[in-house]
């Protein structure tokens, strides 16, 4: 296939070419300046440039820090069960997200979507799921199905689809067209093209996103405890309500340790999926 | 032969007992010693896996020898990072897959050749007017002046390879290495690329070392051919000395001499 290259006025003089080139550089510098201005205005609006207010806040953080020390691991036996619950919630939620994202991703990718309407609708669905915070989803599902891990899994899973599905669609759009063409040339149906021409190409990216999301969901499921969705988050909120700061710091350290383990595990799995 | 004979014979780079064994255990190059001479187009000839790209890549130490040394004309062994960097600044490389940044303009890609002469800060600040003119001159030399502001990924394979050559020229090198520069080009583009390389060698007095697997191109453009087979040099001489016996040493089976 020959494609017409972008038409360009013939520049015959070296000076003309260089002038055109520096025009491009000046445009780039201007763009950088505009972004920098927006960033500075945002910092100023949010008080990040207010040095006196920032420095006056330091002592309060210091006091809280000393109250959290030393961490109190006395109730560690009571945390094993909730930790297993949190782990189960993050795995179930991520599995739900991946299962829903697979079809949605292909429908929301320009090169595999059956038509423009389905493509746009899928994009809107993904944007909607992404815009509803998981905490709000948690509250809705607690009201719908009652307390426990089930509302947590539903909230984590559905909210994750918004991001996982979008990333899947982007990976599909960046898939190399040449092998896809070869699959089509063999007389494959469009479903076969997706299964045998696209999926093998994008599988490593899919695995990457899923594993990252699993790690994210583990962290997010601790927050879900605040709305009564079970897990280690319930313990965290309980200690906070009692103003038992040494216990709060102990739970936070346990969560940090678990997140580290989940991160190492997901990195190992990702390396396997290359 | 022409006037360039007068500067031939001075050696510019020596390979001294160099061996290359890759981390996976593959022996790519057995103990090899050879000298490269000024003013020549030297072709490293051999089938795939013969070790010609490995030998070529050790010459600017993109591939580190497992044993032995690369020695400059001044008799210095290339070891320290600093010496290797200065050696690379004077040694331009042309790659089989062009190695250009597709979303940048041809001019910006060619200007990358000047990085070795800038610090980090001055390379961010921009290139001098003289350097830009040099880049444009190099581009017109390979017939691509009118593509200076075009994105590289919209050029054909042959054009991209010529951008690679323009980049090499803009480096103002003392030696040009070309790793299978025509392996993925059609015959007409291949001829054009090889002709530019030979002209650069003749007119600018820059020696060129090219790895090739096509016998006919080697015969047409080389002053000297080094034949490799299974990691050993099995022939070294002018194209006229390349007889059937030599060909079967390089290619194993009785070679097709019709081309």
């Amino acid at each position: 296939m020959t494609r017409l290259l972008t038409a360009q006025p013939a520049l015959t003089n070296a000076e003309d070419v260089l002038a055109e080139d520096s025009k491009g550089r000046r445009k780039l510098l201007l763009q950088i300046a505009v972004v920098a201005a927006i960033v500075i205005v945002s910092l100023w609006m949010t008080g990040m440039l207010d040095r006196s207010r920032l420095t006056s806040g330091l002592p309060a953080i210091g006091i809280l820090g000393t109250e959290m020390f030393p961490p109190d691991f006395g109730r560690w036996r009571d945390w094993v069960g909730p930790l297993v619950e949190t782990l189960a919630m993050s795995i179930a939620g991520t599995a739900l997200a991946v299962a829903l994202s697979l079809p949605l991703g292909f429908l929301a990718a320009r090169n595999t979507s059956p038509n423009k309407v389905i493509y746009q609708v899928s994009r809107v669905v993904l944007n909607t799921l992404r815009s509803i915070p998981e905490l709000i989803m948690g509250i809705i599902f607690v009201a719908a199905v009652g307390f426990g891990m089930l509302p947590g899994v539903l909230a984590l899973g559905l909210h994750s689809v918004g991001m996982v599905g979008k990333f899947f669609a982007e990976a599909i759009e960046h898939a190399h067209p040449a092998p896809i063409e070869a699959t089509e040339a063999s007389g494959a149906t469009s479903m076969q093209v997706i299964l045998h021409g696209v999926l093998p190409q994008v599988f490593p990216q899919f695995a990457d996103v899923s594993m990252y999301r699993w790690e994210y969901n583990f962290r997010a499921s601790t927050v879900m405890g605040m709305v009564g969705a079970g897990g280690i988050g319930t313990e965290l909120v309980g200690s906070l309500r009692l103003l038992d700061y040494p216990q709060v710091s102990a739970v936070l350290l346990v969560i940090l340790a678990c997140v580290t383990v989940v991160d190492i595990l997901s990195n190992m799995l990702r390396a396997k999926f290359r | 032969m022409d006037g360039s004979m007068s500067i031939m014979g001075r050696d510019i780079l020596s390979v001294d007992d160099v061996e290359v064994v890759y981390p996976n255990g593959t022996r790519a190059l057995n103990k090899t010693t050879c000298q490269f001479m000024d003013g020549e187009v030297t072709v490293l000839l051999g089938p795939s896996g013969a070790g010609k790209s490995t030998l070529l890549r050790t010459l600017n130490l993109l591939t580190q020898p497992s044993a032995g040394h690369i020695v400059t004309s001044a008799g210095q062994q290339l070891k320290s990072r600093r010496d290797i960097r200065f050696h690379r600044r004077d040694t331009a490389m042309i790659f089989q897959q062009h190695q250009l940044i597709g979303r940048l303009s041809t001019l910006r890609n060619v200007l990358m050749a000047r990085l070795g002469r800038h610090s980090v800060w001055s390379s961010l600040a921009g290139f001098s007017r003289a350097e830009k003119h040099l880049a444009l001159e190099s581009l017109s030399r390979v017939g691509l002046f009118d593509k200076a502001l075009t994105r590289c990924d919209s050029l054909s394979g042959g054009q991209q390879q010529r951008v690679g050559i323009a980049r090499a020229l803009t480096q103002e090198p003392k030696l040009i290495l070309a790793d299978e520069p025509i392996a993925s080009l059609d015959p007409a583009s291949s001829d054009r690329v090889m002709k530019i390389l030979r002209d650069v060698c003749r007119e600018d007095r820059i020696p060129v070392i090219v790895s090739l697997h096509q016998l006919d191109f080697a015969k047409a453009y080389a002053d000297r051919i080094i034949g490799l087979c299974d990691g050993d040099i099995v022939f070294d001489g002018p194209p006229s000395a390349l007889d059937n016996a030599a060909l079967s040493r390089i290619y194993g089976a009785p070679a097709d001499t019709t081309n």
Side-chain angles (χ1 to χ4, degrees):
Chain A
M1 188 186 73
T2 49
R3 197 156 42 112
L4 276 176
L5 306 177
T6 40
Q8 228 163 38
L11 296 164
T12 43
N13 185 309
E15 292 306 321
D16 290 349
V17 173
L18 291 185
E20 194 66 25
D21 177 62
S22 9
K23 217 165 93 188
R25 300 288 287 180
R26 274 200 299 277
K27 209 173 116 190
L28 180 70
L29 282 177
L30 188 72
Q31 286 164 340
I32 293 174
V34 168
V35 172
I38 293 172
V39 169
I40 288 169
V41 168
S42 307
L43 287 173
W44 172 77
M45 265 179 71
T46 52
M48 285 296 286
L49 299 182
D50 189 348
R51 209 156 99 216
S52 62
R53 204 171 146 199
L54 282 174
T55 45
S56 70
L58 281 176
I61 294 174
I63 292 167
L64 208 60
T66 47
E67 279 180 13
M68 281 183 155
F69 192 82
D72 171 14
F73 290 95
R75 287 185 55 232
W76 70 270
R77 276 185 195 81
D78 298 335
W79 298 338
V80 176
L83 270 176
V84 173
E85 281 182 24
T86 299
L87 189 66
M89 255 161 67
S90 67
I91 292 175
T94 309
L96 175 67
V98 171
L100 293 175
S101 296
L102 275 173
L104 263 171
F106 282 98
L107 296 178
R110 220 170 279 126
N111 50 343
T112 51
S113 190
N115 62 53
K116 266 216 143 84
V117 177
I118 295 181
Y119 164 77
Q120 289 297 349
V121 170
S122 320
R123 289 261 151 174
V124 170
V125 169
L126 292 178
N127 289 348
T128 312
L129 290 172
R130 221 172 31 250
S131 334
I132 306 173
E134 54 221 334
L135 211 57
I136 305 295
M137 280 202 186
I139 292 169
I140 295 171
F141 284 117
V142 165
V145 300
F147 292 108
M149 287 184 280
L150 182 61
V153 169
L154 290 171
L156 286 178
L158 283 180
H159 179 71
S160 298
V161 171
M163 174 257 183
V164 175
K166 182 183 153 83
F167 277 45
F168 278 12
E170 253 149 46
I172 295 163
E173 283 180 356
H174 285 134
H176 213 276
I180 298 174
E181 196 179 54
T183 333
E184 281 167 349
S186 75
T189 66
S190 27
M191 197 62 196
Q192 285 174 317
V193 170
I194 286 175
L195 286 176
H196 302 284
V198 182
L199 207 53
Q201 286 194 62
V202 296
F203 187 73
Q205 280 106 297
F206 279 21
D208 256 12
V209 173
S210 308
M211 288 300 141
Y212 168 74
R213 195 63 200 187
W214 174 38
E215 194 247 48
Y216 174 90
N217 279 344
F218 187 89
R219 285 180 279 128
S221 54
T222 61
V223 181
M224 297 308 289
M226 293 188 184
V227 294
I232 190 74
T234 312
E235 294 296 321
L236 185 62
V237 175
S239 309
L240 263 175
R241 289 220 177 98
L242 298 171
L243 304 181
D244 190 344
Y245 291 122
Q247 203 163 296
V248 169
S249 62
V251 175
L252 285 177
L253 284 173
V254 167
I255 293 173
L256 170 66
C258 291
V259 167
T260 308
V261 170
V262 169
D263 183 46
I264 292 169
L265 222 73
S266 75
N267 276 336
M268 276 162 55
L269 286 171
R270 268 158 55 174
K272 280 235 180 295
F273 290 140
R274 282 276 138 231
Chain B
M1 277 278 167
D2 57 14
S4 62
M5 281 298 284
S6 57
I7 58 156
M8 282 189 188
R10 195 164 64 87
D11 81 1
I12 42 159
L13 199 62
S14 305
V15 172
D16 193 1
D17 283 342
V18 164
E19 269 181 295
V20 177
V21 182
Y22 285 117
N24 64 11
T26 312
R27 260 193 107 68
L29 198 64
N30 297 318
K31 200 183 248 190
T32 295
T33 297
C34 63
Q35 277 83 38
F36 293 95
M37 304 296 167
D38 208 352
E40 290 186 333
V41 174
T42 307
V43 168
L44 308 180
L45 182 70
S48 307
K52 51 192 190 306
S53 284
T54 302
L55 176 56
L56 192 81
R57 288 169 62 88
T58 58
L59 297 181
N60 65 354
L61 293 112
L62 281 185
T63 296
Q64 288 287 339
S66 319
H69 307 285
I70 303 297
V71 183
T72 64
S73 56
Q76 178 199 32
Q77 291 184 354
L78 290 173
K79 273 211 172 116
S80 74
R81 282 170 67 99
R82 191 184 148 83
D83 290 344
I84 291 173
R85 208 169 82 80
F86 285 138
H87 171 65
R88 286 178 178 168
R89 197 166 73 182
D90 289 334
T91 311
M93 182 101 174
I94 297 166
F95 300 89
Q96 179 182 344
Q97 296 302 330
H98 328 313
Q99 331 260 79
L100 304 167
I101 299 181
R103 53 178 295 274
L104 293 185
S105 73
T106 301
L107 177 63
R108 286 286 146 194
N109 267 291
V110 170
L111 280 170
M112 302 272 177
R114 306 302 301 176
L115 289 178
R117 288 165 213 271
H118 281 270
S119 68
V120 174
W121 290 113
S122 73
S123 67
L124 279 175
F127 297 97
S128 74
R129 193 155 195 86
E131 288 176 310
K132 289 179 189 170
H133 276 284
L134 176 64
L136 286 176
E137 261 168 55
S138 309
L139 276 172
S140 25
R141 217 163 146 191
V142 299
L144 287 173
F145 179 84
D146 57 327
K147 300 286 186 204
L149 301 176
T150 310
R151 270 172 72 126
C152 264
D153 52 11
S154 63
L155 300 180
S156 72
Q159 287 173 330
Q160 291 194 22
Q161 193 53 285
R162 275 147 59 203
V163 175
I165 296 175
R167 179 172 62 183
L169 293 176
T170 306
Q171 201 174 327
E172 297 184 298
K174 298 195 175 108
L175 167 67
I176 292 179
L177 309 175
D179 187 8
E180 293 268 8
I182 58 171
S184 44
L185 302 184
D186 61 85
S189 300
S190 300
D191 256 321
R192 186 156 188 190
V193 163
M194 290 306 294
K195 199 170 158 345
I196 295 171
L197 288 177
R198 188 178 57 189
D199 290 348
V200 166
C201 179
R202 295 277 184 270
E203 290 161 16
D204 302 49
R205 303 262 183 264
I206 302 172
V208 176
I209 305 172
V210 197
S211 67
L212 290 181
H213 61 258
Q214 301 96 325
L215 177 61
D216 42 350
F217 281 103
K219 278 180 160 174
Y221 291 100
D223 296 312
R224 172 190 179 193
I225 292 177
I226 295 178
L228 287 120
C229 182
D230 286 338
D232 285 308
I233 293 183
V234 293
F235 173 84
D236 189 350
S240 54
L242 196 64
D243 54 13
N244 279 348
L247 284 177
S248 62
R249 282 205 301 278
I250 299 173
Y251 288 102
D256 176 16
T257 51
T258 50
N259 49 7

